[in-house]
Amino acid sequence: GQGEAYRKRFLEVDLLLVDDVQFLTNQRETQAELLRIIDGMQTASRQIVLTSDRPPAEIEALDERLIRRFAGGLVIDIAVPDYETRVAILRRKAEERRVVLAPGVLEAVAKLGIDNVRELVGALNRLAAHQAVSERPLAATQVAELLGMSAVPRASPHAAATGNGAPPSAEPAAAPSAGAPPGDAPSSDAPGQLADEFGDFLSEVSAAVSQQIEAWRGKIGAAILRWEGEGYQVRRLAVLLEQEISQDPEQALRAFEADARRLEELRTEAAGIVADLAGSPVFRDPDGVPAAEALVQQAREGAHPPPGPSAQWGLEALIEGQGNRVALQAARTVAAHPGTKYNPLVIVGASGVGKTHLLHAIGNLLVAQGLGVVACLSAEEFTGELIEAIDRDAVSKWRSRFRRIDAFLLDDVQLVAEKDRSQEELFFLFNLFLESSRQMVFTSAVPLPELRGLEPRLRTRLEGGLVVDLPPPDREVRQRIVERLVNEAGDMADPDVAPYLAGRPAESVRNLQGLFQRVASAAETEQTRLTAAFARSVLEGAPTRAPRRSNGVRASGIVAPGAAGLKSREKTVWEWPDIADRLLEDWR
């Protein structure tokens, strides 16, 4: 119900900058409003600048009148950066981050042909993170191997600008001037003139009071026009004009202004909690400040932050090795400099390598440093909450929960692929957090270049941060993990179990933990000590004790093969009279 105030707000600006106008596709009402605003600003010779990822004529479902107005200005194309520009960008970003790289490294990055500036900065971040944990500076020959990416050319963004002219200077409205003070009454010593002199005195006093009252009325009238123009109800001020002025009008105006400012503060707070509340009429009635405060208090009580990190997963529980050193160092840097160093941080690794653990560990570090509200949830939870909010017609309240947090950590971002609404909400949330320098951390089980079904605008933003790989645990890490599990098992397990299990193939920490649990459960079931030999018997099928032998005479029913048959290593089943005495023997 604030359409007129909305239009007035934009029509009064001197410069209008609109980003990504291609998102106006199929939004007829928004296109109609933009058309009115453009016409009004062009009439007033005020500047308009628009950006789009495609030429105006190629934007689908866009009003023909808007296309004509866009094309009527100056349409310019921003091409992908060439080699020299890429080197210049990398040098400037390295300077800003105080990253010192060996000669030729930045040039090697520029030669990879990465035509997206965000991905270019992401590549620089990745090299800086690798060098931070390396014993020697990176060489130019290592760049391609460390980045492990091949640039895929993308469509060039386009920018459109329309309209020209300097904004006219606004003329301030003239305030009513107060009347002149009364002059001195003429004096006369003649007694016959006393009555006339007294009457003249009363007339002058009456005129002076009348002039003051009219001045105050003019001031109140100007205040009514001002506050009514800002959308506030002015009943209180209108009453002052209709009755005799018995109180100090200046004090009444100050009280009205204080109430209006208080309503604006409450409205801003309400918008941060639940965006829909900002349009409530209660925030436009200066006589209803208590009602507005009560409404905001209800919103505060009903606003619950998204789920936070699990306290059981800490960074100290992760074992550092050569493979995961870059990822762990990046996690510590993010916790020490949230929102400024690596934003976003994207952790890529296969299932079970510890991505979720590391994500929650970063969240716990941020909470420990008193960052504020840290949200840590999976992409499935993110989409599930959005679906529930759509079902309850409470999308604005759902958005406000995330807009109020101080750090956003999302697990398995690849699960938002092919989910258009989730990607759209995540895109706008991403931009908000990036602009306000609030930390974001994502994990993905699929390398970003291989992620299908993810919008390019979202993928390039993810690649614009620091992307680190979390590889499967190497033998050193596997042995230290099993040693920790053996220590937790106490006297039930021998130390020689650790080297044996560490030598077993395990693609993830979860897989390794599963192997240990398997042999530990078997040892508990058989009430025996967990040793390397017992673990080998469980996992490889090697016998732990000699097979039982029967006292009776055994007849196989199978004629033993000749000497030629002994050359075969094929397994042969011997059928004994007693079914309990079946054996699996290997001919040697």
Side-chain angles (χ1 to χ4, degrees), residues 232 236 254-264 286-287 289:
Y232 290 94
R236 190 196 308 178
R254 285 197 299 266
F256 186 92
E257 182 174 359
D259 289 340
R261 296 304 179 208
R262 175 59 178 158
L263 287 177
E264 183 63 25
D287 295 332
V289 173

Side-chain angles (χ1 to χ4, degrees), residues 126 130 146 314-315 317-332 345-362 411-412 441-448 466-474 477 481 506-510:
R126 193 165 186 180
H130 276 282
L146 288 176
L315 191 63
L318 289 170
I319 296 174
E320 182 173 330
Q322 187 64 32
N324 63 3
R325 184 163 295 136
V326 172
L328 296 186
Q329 182 60 37
R332 297 186 187 98
L345 173 65
V346 183
I347 305 167
V348 179
S351 177
V353 297
K355 301 187 307 299
T356 301
H357 188 148
L358 182 56
L359 185 78
H360 284 260
I362 295 173
D411 196 16
D412 288 326
V441 184
F442 300 90
T443 70
S444 175
V446 180
L448 297 183
L466 172 62
V467 181
V468 295
D469 293 320
L470 199 61
D474 53 27
V477 173
I481 290 174
E507 297 180 354
S508 67
V509 176
R510 188 181 301 142

Side-chain angles (χ1 to χ4, degrees), residues 2-17:
Q2 299 291 327
E4 288 300 325
Y6 172 85
R7 296 185 191 101
K8 183 179 179 182
R9 174 189 174 197
F10 283 98
L11 288 173
E12 289 180 349
V13 302
D14 299 313
L15 172 65
L16 178 65
L17 309 174

Side-chain angles (χ1 to χ4, degrees), residues 217-522:
R217 288 185 183 278
K219 200 169 187 178
I220 293 172
I224 289 176
L225 291 176
R226 171 197 172 187
W227 293 111
E228 196 171 33
E230 294 191 19
Y232 290 94
Q233 298 181 20
V234 292
R235 290 190 306 268
R236 190 196 308 178
L237 298 180
V239 169
L240 292 177
L241 291 179
E242 297 171 359
Q243 64 184 13
E244 293 292 334
I245 298 181
S246 57
Q247 57 176 327
D248 182 4
E250 186 69 37
Q251 182 179 357
L253 291 177
R254 285 197 299 266
F256 186 92
E257 182 174 359
D259 289 340
R261 296 304 179 208
R262 175 59 178 158
L263 287 177
E264 183 63 25
E265 293 174 0
L266 293 170
R267 189 185 71 83
T268 303
E269 182 180 355
I273 301 174
V274 182
D276 290 345
L277 281 183
S280 175
V282 73
F283 296 114
R284 296 298 178 183
D285 184 7
D287 295 332
V289 173
E293 291 176 338
L295 183 62
V296 173
Q297 182 59 33
Q298 290 177 3
R300 291 194 200 105
E301 295 172 354
H304 302 291
S310 174
Q312 67 178 356
W313 283 335
L315 191 63
E316 67 281 354
L318 289 170
I319 296 174
E320 182 173 330
Q322 187 64 32
N324 63 3
R325 184 163 295 136
V326 172
L328 296 186
Q329 182 60 37
R332 297 186 187 98
T333 303
V334 163
H337 308 281
T340 57
K341 261 296 188 186
Y342 305 133
N343 196 22
L345 173 65
V346 183
I347 305 167
V348 179
S351 177
V353 297
K355 301 187 307 299
T356 301
H357 188 148
L358 182 56
L359 185 78
H360 284 260
I362 295 173
N364 286 320
L365 286 177
L366 294 173
V367 171
Q369 293 187 2
L371 183 62
V373 181
V374 177
C376 186
L377 69 166
S378 68
E380 287 183 334
E381 291 175 302
F382 183 81
T383 301
E385 286 191 8
L386 175 58
I387 293 172
E388 185 179 351
I390 295 173
D391 183 53
R392 293 185 289 106
D393 194 21
V395 175
S396 295
K397 187 174 181 179
W398 176 83
R399 289 184 187 132
S400 66
R401 294 179 67 220
F402 288 94
R403 291 175 179 176
R404 297 174 62 238
I405 61 179
D406 300 290
F408 179 58
L409 284 66
L410 189 67
D411 196 16
D412 288 326
V413 69
Q414 78 277 357
L415 297 180
V416 301
E418 308 294 347
K419 299 172 183 174
D420 296 340
R421 185 64 182 271
S422 295
Q423 292 188 49
E424 181 181 12
E425 295 294 341
L426 184 58
F427 171 76
F428 291 117
L429 192 65
F430 191 106
N431 288 343
L432 174 67
F433 272 60
L434 204 59
E435 291 169 3
S436 55
S437 297
R438 285 182 275 177
Q439 184 64 50
M440 293 175 287
V441 184
F442 300 90
T443 70
S444 175
V446 180
L448 297 183
E450 302 174 13
L451 221 170
R452 300 291 178 263
L454 192 68
E455 294 183 8
R457 59 175 179 170
L458 190 56
R459 185 174 62 81
T460 57
R461 278 163 173 78
L462 293 173
E463 292 172 341
L466 172 62
V467 181
V468 295
D469 293 320
L470 199 61
D474 53 27
R475 184 184 179 92
E476 176 192 0
V477 173
R478 293 200 300 268
Q479 177 154 346
R480 292 174 62 184
I481 290 174
V482 180
E483 286 174 353
R484 179 183 293 174
L485 295 173
V486 168
N487 291 334
E488 292 174 357
D491 296 336
M492 294 296 296
D494 282 351
D496 62 353
V497 176
Y500 168 71
L501 290 182
R504 296 280 301 177
E507 297 180 354
S508 67
V509 176
R510 188 181 301 142
N511 191 342
L512 185 62
Q513 292 172 335
L515 289 177
F516 181 83
Q517 293 299 330
R518 178 179 170 187
V519 296
S521 298

Side-chain angles (χ1 to χ4, degrees), residues 76-155:
I76 57 175
D77 178 72
I78 300 180
V80 297
D82 53 25
Y83 170 77
E84 293 80 6
T85 305
R86 292 197 294 270
V87 173
I89 291 172
L90 288 169
R91 286 180 179 174
R92 177 177 297 180
K93 293 299 180 183
E95 217 173 279
E96 291 174 358
R97 288 160 171 74
R98 297 181 181 178
V99 176
V100 179
L101 296 170
V105 172
L106 297 182
E107 288 76 6
V109 178
K111 289 177 181 177
L112 292 177
I114 303 174
D115 56 16
N116 186 294
V117 176
R118 292 193 190 100
E119 295 179 13
L120 202 62
V121 176
L124 175 62
N125 288 337
R126 193 165 186 180
L127 292 179
H130 276 282
Q131 181 166 278
V133 298
S134 301
E135 297 179 356
R136 62 184 65 181
L138 297 178
T141 54
Q142 298 177 271
V143 168
E145 181 182 356
L146 288 176
L147 296 181
M149 62 173 68
S150 59
V152 179
R154 294 182 176 83

